[in-house]
Each structure stands twice: as structure tokens, then as C-alpha cells.
Amino acid sequence: MKPWLQLVLLTCICLFWQTEAEFFTSIGQMTDLIYAEKDLVQSLKEYIRAEESKLSQIKSWAEKMDVLTSKSASDPEGYLAHPVNAYKLVKRLNTDWLELENLVLQDTTNGFIANLTIQRQFFPTEEDETGAAKALMRLQDTYKLDPETLSRGTKYRSSLTVGDCFGMGKTAYNDGDYYHTVLWMEQALKQHDEGEDTTVSKVEILDYLSYAVFQFGDLHRATELTRRLISLDSTHERAGSNLRYFEKLLEKEREDKSLNKTVAPTEPVVQGGAYERPLDYLPERDIYEALCRGEGVKMTPRRQKRLFCRYHDGNRNPHLLIAPFKEEDEWDSPHIVRYYDVMSDEEIEKIKQLAKPRLARATVRDPKTGVLTVASYRVSKSSWLEEDDDPVVAKVNRRMQQITGLTVKTAELLQVANYGMGGQYEPHFDFSRKDEPDAFKRLGTGNRVATFLNYMSDVEAGGATVFPDFGAAIWPKKGTAVFWYNLFRSGEGDYRTRHAACPVLVGCKWVSNKWFHERGNEFLRPCGRTEVD
């Protein structure tokens, strides 16, 4: 290959890699990895066939020479007395054995290695592996799954090996997350004790586990685990040092107790037989995760009576009078409605087709700077589609305008999002609050008055849209859309609309949404929307 062509190819690969990084944030893009791996398997099989063919030739030569040398070695002089045999011996040693040497040295790996080298440019990174591990932990926490339950999939059932569990534990440990370190190292140790074949040693597992347990203040168990480690490897310097330290702390505790001194408890607080999960930055964490599991939904019989289904014509919009949309109340106050058959399967596939090459890690707006940035609490990839991209985008935009009665002229572009492993968007507001007045200043269209959310896929498990403030959970249904107002008529934000996209447990979640802004909609908001209970 010419140097200039190699440079062009390398440049293209680098550009592709820049756009394809963070596979774990989008299941849609992760499907490409399936085909890449399948291609590698085919390449590997071709290499195996080439190796088998080469070995077959070598084996045939060896068998032939074994018979010949057995005969010649039994009577060397008699064998060489025949001039043809003498000639063939010289020829074999001068030519034939050289050809065999070339055959043995023949490198059949070239095709496979070349393919692997190219494909490796598109492989997930260390960041992807860490992100994928944290996604499993997020699912574990949100849906209250233990490692064994988590490893049981759907029809594509897969199990986590000792090495997998150990890797999960190491990821948590390196992140200073001792809660998940303990859970996954315990699972690794359990499977190891059951006799599972693995290259990970018990010493390695116990090394991480004992220290993580100590971080929870469980001094007695940390000592017990460290002693077990030393019984397996008496030369382990760190374990020996830790054991002496732990025993010193235990001795001090006993001395203090004998002197009736008040001592800090060494036994950690446990919950359900496990160490307590540490508190984090999200105040409504428990409510949010309960709603994701379908628990704590505050749909009372009284509230249920206030919810209705009807045909919606967009306040007598001429386009909808003949073919109105089916509208269903999901919640009464704030008023959240679901529309059916908003997008056809063909439109959905076209939108996904347009969006997939442009998917990039979804961002959030920094409340202080107004700059878009990635965040751990939003795990998905998104792209923005303009009406000029394809007629279907303009068609979907017009439909949302007809349904809501709001203008799309000042709305944001159609955003398409695909959620990856454990994909989620933790509780957030769609509108800007008083402490972030410049969030949409550059748009010049005011605040986000309303949200129109299209569900473009069914989700086998998880993936609900939940509202922790009033306890609502709305589940994805392909082809439907939900709509709500983020602002009161006064322009004040409705803080009850703080919502979240729950982690996807099983399946692939695609959505698209349109954020309508205040400008141009001052007099278009229909009457009759409830603002207060």
C-alpha cells in the first residue's frame, strides 16, 4: 500500500473513532460491534483453515519421510548403492527440506491480523468497559437485583464468570465505591468456592474484598478474610501488614472495653444482610428508583376517576377534524396526556436511520455557564435533526404542531436519543430556573414552555418516564407520545414536572422530543389545562 493511501486510511479511521467513542451510551451504535465481532470470527475461522491446511501438508511430508528414513537408515550403504537414491537424498536435503522450511515459516496470520488491526480501531475503550460496568451496578441498585439475578437475561441468557465479577469489583474499587466492591467480590468468591474454572485466584479476590470490608468499619470480618488470604499465601506482604494492623485495632478495642471506655463501634450498619448503600447527591433517589420499579405510584381511585380517553382534534384544527388523534390522560395535575399512533413504523425507522450516524454523547446545560457538557447522570446518545434533512422530519414537526396548537417556528430541533447500557437521565427540569436565567438566552425564544416526547420503541423492562414529585410513572409504548407543560400561564416554572428517564433494564430505548418555547406561543396555549390541584 502506498504511504499516502495509508495516511488517508489512518485519518479516516481516526475520524470514525472520534465519532464512535463511548459505545456503552447507545445500544443502537453497539449493534455495530456485533457485526464487527462476527466479521472477526469469520476471519479467525479462515486463519484456522489455513493453519490446518498447512499442518496437513507438513504431517503428510513427515509421514512420507518417516517411512523413507526408516528404510534408508536400516542399510545406508545398500540404499545409497542405487544412484537414484543417492541423487534424491542430495535433492531432498538441498531443495525439498528448504521448501518444507518455507512452508513451516509461512505466516498464515497476515489476513487475520490485518483485519483485527483495522477492527481494533473501532473497539470499545477502557472508558466503555468502565461505563458498562457502572451501568450494570446502576441496574443492580435501581431494580434491586443481586449479581446472580442480574446475570440471568432474557432469551439471550448470559452468565457472569468469576473473572467478570472480579472485573466489576475492581471497577468499583478503582472508583472508591466500596459498596459495590464488596457485592461483586463476594459473588466472585462464591463462584470460585463452588469450583468454577478461572484464572483469577482467591488471593486476588480476598485482597480486594478484605480491604473494602474494612472501609465499612467491619474490622472483625476484615480480619477473618485477611487470615483466610494468608492461609493461601503466607508470603503476601500487604495482607501480613494489614492483619497486624487489624489485630492491633481489635486489641485496642478489647482494652478500651475492659476499661469501660466509650469506643466507636467496629460493626457497620447493615441493611437486609448487606452493607448500607452510601447516600449520594440525589435527594429523591429512593422515590425515583421505586417509581422505576413500578412501586410507589400514587394513582388513587379518586385520581383515576379524573382521567379520560378522548379523540383530540387540536382544538378543531382543520387537519385533524377528519382524522383526530386518540388522547389518553396519564395524570390530572399537572396534566400529562398520551397520544396514540403519532408516528408510523416507517417514519420511526427513517428517523432512526437519519439519526444513527450523527449520534453523540448526550449533554446537559451547565446551570452556571450555560455550556453543554456530558454528565454521568445522563447516559444516552442523541442527535438533532433539521427539516431539511428529510421530508419525514418536517412531517413529524407539523404533526406535533397540529396536536399541541403550539408553533414549531421557535421550538428547538427534533432531538433523537438512544439509550445505552443502563441508559438513563436522572431527575431534571426541562425548563430553566431562576438561578439559571441565561440557559436559553442565545436562542432568543424564551423558556421551554412544553415538552412533546415520542416513544419510538417498546422497552422490554425498565425505561419508564417518572415524576418523583407527584409519583407518576409512564411506560414507553412504540408510536405513542406524551405531552406536558413545563410552565404555568404566568411563565413561572412548574417544579412538579421534574422528571427522569429510568435505566433501561432489558431492551433498546429510542425516543425523540420537541421542546416548544415561549416566543410565538403567548396566545396559542389552549384553555382548560389544569395548573393546580
Side-chain angles (χ1 to χ4, degrees):
M1 185 181 293
K2 295 181 180 180
W4 67 268
L5 187 56
Q6 288 180 318
L7 181 61
V8 171
L9 178 60
L10 182 60
T11 303
C12 291
I13 286 172
C14 290
L15 288 173
F16 183 84
W17 170 243
Q18 289 172 3
T19 60
E20 293 294 307
E22 295 187 335
F23 282 102
F24 76 95
T25 60
S26 168
I27 291 295
Q29 286 188 328
M30 283 185 72
T31 56
D32 295 336
L33 298 179
I34 296 291
Y35 297 111
E37 189 171 44
K38 182 177 176 60
D39 182 61
L40 282 176
V41 170
Q42 293 303 316
S43 182
L44 181 60
K45 288 169 73 174
E46 289 173 9
Y47 159 67
I48 292 170
R49 283 194 292 269
E51 281 289 313
E52 288 176 340
S53 175
K54 185 175 82 170
L55 287 173
S56 178
Q57 294 178 62
I58 295 172
K59 182 179 179 182
S60 175
W61 168 265
E63 290 173 349
K64 183 175 70 173
M65 294 308 299
D66 186 41
V67 172
L68 192 151
T69 54
S70 294
K71 183 189 293 186
S72 63
S74 66
D75 182 12
E77 289 187 3
Y79 178 81
L80 292 174
H82 198 295
V84 172
N85 287 341
Y87 162 75
K88 292 186 71 173
L89 174 63
V90 172
K91 178 181 178 294
R92 280 198 305 274
L93 292 173
N94 182 59
T95 304
D96 295 354
W97 278 97
L98 180 61
E99 291 177 355
L100 178 69
E101 180 185 10
N102 291 334
L103 176 62
V104 171
L105 293 176
Q106 189 181 86
D107 190 358
T108 59
T109 65
N110 286 341
F112 172 67
I113 294 300
N115 189 19
L116 181 60
T117 301
I118 292 174
Q119 295 282 12
R120 189 181 287 121
Q121 307 298 320
F122 315 135
F123 279 9
T125 62
E126 186 72 27
E127 180 185 1
D128 280 298
E129 185 174 344
T130 299
K134 290 182 178 180
L136 286 180
M137 296 176 205
R138 185 161 54 249
L139 294 174
Q140 180 183 11
D141 295 339
T142 303
Y143 298 103
K144 292 189 174 180
L145 306 171
D146 57 48
E148 285 185 290
T149 302
L150 191 59
S151 72
R152 293 196 294 267
T154 52
K155 60 182 179 180
Y156 302 109
R157 179 174 176 174
S158 181
S159 59
L160 294 167
T161 65
V162 169
D164 294 331
C165 295
F166 181 71
M168 293 282 293
K170 278 184 66 176
T171 297
Y173 181 89
N174 293 335
D175 204 39
D177 178 2
Y178 300 114
Y179 172 75
H180 287 106
T181 301
V182 171
L183 290 178
W184 286 101
M185 289 301 176
E186 284 181 335
Q187 182 63 25
L189 185 62
K190 177 176 179 291
Q191 291 179 208
H192 207 305
D193 287 341
E194 291 172 351
E196 183 179 312
D197 188 31
T198 180
T199 58
V200 179
S201 69
K202 286 186 182 180
V203 169
E204 291 176 285
I205 298 171
L206 289 165
D207 192 18
Y208 282 96
L209 180 57
S210 59
Y211 186 77
V213 164
F214 172 68
Q215 291 298 313
F216 274 97
D218 196 343
L219 187 55
H220 291 279
R221 185 156 180 248
T223 304
E224 173 194 331
L225 291 167
T226 306
R227 284 173 178 159
R228 183 179 175 186
L229 189 162
I230 292 175
S231 71
L232 297 171
D233 182 3
S234 59
T235 64
H236 201 291
E237 293 184 9
R238 182 169 56 252
S241 176
N242 287 346
L243 182 59
R244 289 190 292 274
Y245 178 65
F246 296 160
E247 289 177 337
K248 185 178 179 181
L249 291 177
L250 286 173
E251 180 61 30
K252 186 177 186 305
E253 181 182 301
R254 284 191 290 269
E255 290 176 358
D256 289 342
K257 282 184 178 178
S258 66
L259 296 173
N260 293 321
K261 288 185 178 181
T262 302
V263 295
T266 58
E267 292 296 331
V269 179
V270 295
Q271 188 176 38
Y275 299 114
E276 271 194 347
R277 180 178 165 195
L279 299 175
D280 69 1
Y281 55 86
L282 195 61
E284 67 264 65
R285 170 75 63 188
D286 291 341
I287 297 173
Y288 156 55
E289 292 183 349
L291 289 170
C292 289
R293 296 190 298 271
E295 303 168 4
V297 178
K298 300 176 182 178
M299 181 56 71
T300 62
R302 181 182 176 185
R303 170 165 276 126
Q304 185 74 50
K305 290 179 180 178
R306 296 202 292 264
L307 306 182
F308 299 94
C309 297
R310 65 188 71 81
Y311 282 103
H312 175 74
D313 61 13
N315 292 300
R316 301 192 66 77
N317 185 297
H319 296 91
L320 302 187
L321 284 173
I322 298 176
F325 282 92
K326 289 177 282 188
E327 182 185 76
E328 177 184 23
D329 292 329
E330 287 282 356
W331 207 260
D332 58 340
S333 181
H335 195 205
I336 304 174
V337 295
R338 187 194 294 265
Y339 297 103
Y340 286 81
D341 303 318
V342 174
M343 294 177 70
S344 67
D345 288 347
E346 292 75 16
E347 289 171 333
I348 287 172
E349 289 308 309
K350 186 62 180 179
I351 293 289
K352 287 166 60 176
Q353 179 186 337
L354 293 168
K356 191 172 179 181
R358 313 179 192 186
L359 289 175
R361 178 70 184 268
T363 57
V364 296
R365 196 173 297 278
D366 188 302
K368 295 181 179 179
T369 65
V371 176
L372 294 174
T373 182
V374 298
S376 60
Y377 55 84
R378 187 179 189 185
V379 182
S380 65
K381 281 190 174 181
S382 63
S383 62
W384 301 83
L385 300 183
E386 301 185 47
E387 293 194 353
D388 292 341
D389 291 331
D390 192 274
V392 72
V393 179
K395 186 177 180 181
V396 169
N397 281 345
R398 284 196 302 273
R399 191 175 299 144
M400 290 187 284
Q401 177 172 281
Q402 292 164 1
I403 291 174
T404 62
L406 303 175
T407 180
V408 295
K409 290 181 179 179
T410 56
E412 294 177 47
L413 299 177
L414 182 67
Q415 181 181 223
V416 182
N418 177 227
Y419 290 81
M421 288 188 59
Q424 64 161 3
Y425 191 176
E426 289 182 354
H428 62 282
F429 298 100
D430 280 352
F431 63 91
S432 66
R433 276 79 67 210
K434 291 180 179 179
D435 59 349
E436 46 180 12
D438 296 333
F440 306 116
K441 185 177 181 179
R442 65 178 184 82
L443 298 178
T445 53
N447 212 340
R448 288 173 174 168
V449 66
T451 297
F452 196 101
L453 177 64
N454 297 297
Y455 293 117
M456 302 200 306
S457 66
D458 292 314
V459 179
E460 193 169 340
T465 303
V466 298
F467 295 78
D469 184 83
F470 49 90
I474 299 173
W475 303 93
K477 293 179 184 176
K478 185 178 181 181
T480 69
V482 291
F483 174 79
W484 67 86
Y485 281 96
N486 298 305
L487 307 179
F488 291 113
R489 295 182 191 283
S490 63
E492 292 291 316
D494 187 344
Y495 283 78
R496 298 173 301 172
T497 61
R498 182 172 166 87
H499 61 286
C502 294
V504 176
L505 180 58
V506 181
C508 181
K509 182 181 177 183
W510 284 88
V511 298
S512 62
N513 68 278
K514 176 70 72 173
W515 281 306
F516 292 94
H517 281 246
E518 291 178 288
R519 298 298 170 264
N521 289 310
E522 292 88 345
F523 305 104
L524 296 180
R525 183 170 178 174
C527 298
R529 298 293 188 189
T530 306
E531 291 188 350
V532 293
D533 288 323

